Amino acid sequence: MFESRAAVFTDAGHPVSIETLALDVPQPGEVLVRMTSSGVCHSDLHVRDGHWERPGPIVLGHEGAGIVEAVGEGINPELIGRPVALTWYAPCLTCRNCQLGRQWICTGSPALGHAMTDGTTRLTRPDGSPVLSYLSIGTMASRQVVPAAAVVPLPDGVPPEVAALIGCGVSTGVGAVIKTAAVPAGATVAVIGLGGVGLSCVMGAKIAGASRIIVVDVNRQKIELAGELGATHWVHAAKDDPKGVVDGIRAAAGNGGPDFVFEAIGLPETISQAVAALPPGGTACLVGLTRYGQSASFEAFPFVDGGRRIIGSNYGSAVAAVDFPRYAEMYLQGRLPIEKLIDRRLDLAELEDAFDRLRAGQAARQMVVFED
Ligand SMILES: NC(=O)c1ccc[n+]([C@@H]2O[C@H](COP(=O)([O-])OP(=O)(O)OC[C@H]3O[C@@H](n4cnc5c(N)ncnc54)[C@H](O)[C@@H]3O)[C@@H](O)[C@H]2O)c1
Ligand SMILES: [Zn+2]
Ligand SMILES: [Zn+2]
């Protein structure tokens, strides 16, 4: 039996509590990870604020990295001591989508139940009651047991924070551009919303060889940071002027609008802006996730008449075992300056403050650091 200090979500809209939980040893097919870093992604905040219903108590966090400390039966013991990134969507490898090579939309992932593959959890409170793990990995914990399919070893030399960011924001944003939308060299790209996900879309557009990269945010500091990552044009969004945003994107792109627009916020109004900014033949790639039950609208006639397209991108179409090491390699070569996304390091106890900053749109990526 181990101990784990973890951020536990119990009720929507209420602060998380920092608790010391008991952590059982890994069962067959499971891996025990000592966490080194966990990013604070807006998806955790969606859960914390009740935008997406999740069962509590549950340990939050899904963008994490650590060192393997122990393995269950059937797992290669050589993994022990290896630094790993965690995928928040451990694939089942047997459902139809996995067999089609589309692990990012697996329908049998243990992540759907926020538990191990057998539906149980290794975490308990002192009274013996079980605690779930968000997306089966609950990375805001000093130690975790996770399904082996969630663990991806990375090449030497990748700092823990970079590994953690590859686990969500980077794979989601870079992958949306180079995998889901497969932006060709020379295309024009706009990115609406510059959090960890949108800034990763900007890095992806640079790698893809986009000729213009237009960035949009309400926060000028985010626009400046995007400039360091490769943005060539910018539009400062005024929340009460949606048409101004659309006109600004079109003017900056030339040729009637950008070939691709990436929406990385998850608001109905910015989704509508993404579609409205497209020229004939353009593609809107939706990456931001709304609250449950929300719809977005667009004018139907010009959409069809102009042969425009909308695509949804989950996890940047990531096949973690293949793509995580690739992104890590690109980081090591200096082609993905992932460390620039980090604007704050914090202890778990400061998580609510980090959520406040994220809610106000003030944070790029804030990283929980685990000392052991
Ligand atoms: N599709 C996926 O697989 C996937 C994976 C991870 C995260 N997400 C989602 O992506 C979204 C972004 O995540 P994040 O962590 O980068 O969030 P974030 O909160 O860090 O970033 C959002 C950005 O949007 C800006 N913004 C807010 N309102 C705006 C407006 N009206 N116009 C222009 N800019 C505005 C904010 O200033 C901020 O910079 C979230 O909805 C998250 O849940 C999706
Ligand atoms: Zn995330
Ligand atoms: Zn599957």
Side-chain angles (χ1 to χ4, degrees):
M1 202 63 109
F2 296 81
E3 269 192 352
S4 182
R5 183 170 171 259
V8 182
F9 162 89
T10 305
D11 291 309
H14 291 275
V16 296
S17 51
I18 308 304
E19 303 183 21
T20 300
L21 304 172
L23 180 66
D24 207 348
V25 295
Q27 300 299 306
E30 298 171 3
V31 173
L32 185 124
V33 177
R34 178 173 65 77
M35 220 62 76
T36 45
S37 179
S38 176
V40 185
C41 173
H42 207 114
S43 297
D44 297 305
L45 185 56
H46 279 305
V47 175
R48 149 73 177 76
D49 285 348
H51 297 172
W52 308 337
E53 210 176 296
R54 291 290 178 273
I58 185 169
V59 173
L60 289 183
H62 63 282
E63 185 177 75
I67 312 274
V68 174
E69 272 196 345
V71 296
E73 207 182 298
I75 305 301
N76 188 347
E78 282 176 19
L79 258 186
I80 296 170
R82 289 287 304 269
V84 294
L86 300 177
T87 163
W88 53 252
Y89 212 52
C92 77
L93 302 178
T94 56
C95 75
R96 183 174 163 75
N97 279 330
C98 280
Q99 289 183 333
L100 284 165
R102 306 189 302 207
Q103 298 182 3
W104 58 91
I105 42 174
C106 167
T107 53
S109 173
L112 296 164
H114 309 287
M116 299 301 104
T117 41
D118 64 2
T120 63
T121 165
R122 304 291 159 258
L123 288 168
T124 43
R125 279 179 162 158
D127 65 3
S129 59
V131 178
L132 294 168
S133 294
Y134 185 41
L135 296 168
S136 304
I137 61 174
T139 58
M140 288 177 183
S142 58
R143 277 190 174 74
Q144 262 293 20
V145 168
V146 302
V151 165
V152 182
L154 291 185
D156 289 340
V158 179
E161 290 170 343
V162 169
L165 286 166
I166 289 173
C168 184
V170 169
S171 293
T172 298
V174 173
V177 178
I178 69 173
K179 295 198 72 183
T180 314
V183 169
T188 50
V189 168
V191 180
I192 306 178
L194 303 170
V197 173
L199 291 166
S200 295
C201 290
V202 173
M203 291 195 292
K206 173 114 191 263
I207 284 171
S211 58
R212 292 189 188 185
I213 304 174
I214 302 122
V215 294
V216 184
D217 204 289
V218 288
N219 179 329
R220 287 185 192 277
Q221 281 169 325
K222 302 295 189 65
I223 289 171
E224 266 173 45
L225 182 50
E228 291 176 34
L229 297 172
T232 59
H233 297 68
W234 54 271
V235 177
H236 182 234
K239 276 188 174 145
D240 51 2
D241 183 18
K243 186 167 179 307
V245 171
V246 171
D247 291 345
I249 295 173
R250 292 187 144 202
N255 294 323
D259 300 313
F260 294 87
V261 181
F262 293 85
E263 198 278 354
I265 307 169
L267 294 173
E269 56 267 33
T270 44
I271 292 171
S272 296
Q273 287 167 9
V275 179
L278 296 175
T283 299
C285 182
L286 308 185
V287 185
L289 289 159
T290 64
R291 296 173 184 219
Y292 281 179
Q294 284 188 320
S295 302
S297 65
F298 58 89
E299 197 183 333
F301 185 90
F303 183 82
V304 178
D305 187 57
R308 294 167 170 89
R309 299 191 304 158
I310 300 176
I311 48 180
S313 182
N314 193 44
Y315 214 163
S317 304
V319 175
V322 175
D323 293 318
F324 284 14
R326 284 185 178 167
Y327 296 143
E329 201 74 43
M330 290 160 107
Y331 163 78
L332 292 171
Q333 293 165 2
R335 293 160 67 203
L336 272 184
I338 296 171
E339 75 287 352
K340 288 202 168 148
L341 303 190
I342 302 166
D343 65 354
R344 181 188 181 195
R345 293 175 176 82
L346 59 135
D347 182 81
L348 262 191
E350 299 167 287
L351 188 55
E352 280 295 326
D353 182 60
F355 280 150
D356 288 342
R357 284 191 69 212
L358 192 58
R359 212 180 276 113
Q362 287 166 354
R365 258 318 188 246
Q366 308 178 87
M367 308 301 297
V368 175
V369 179
F370 297 92
E371 314 278 352
D372 209 302

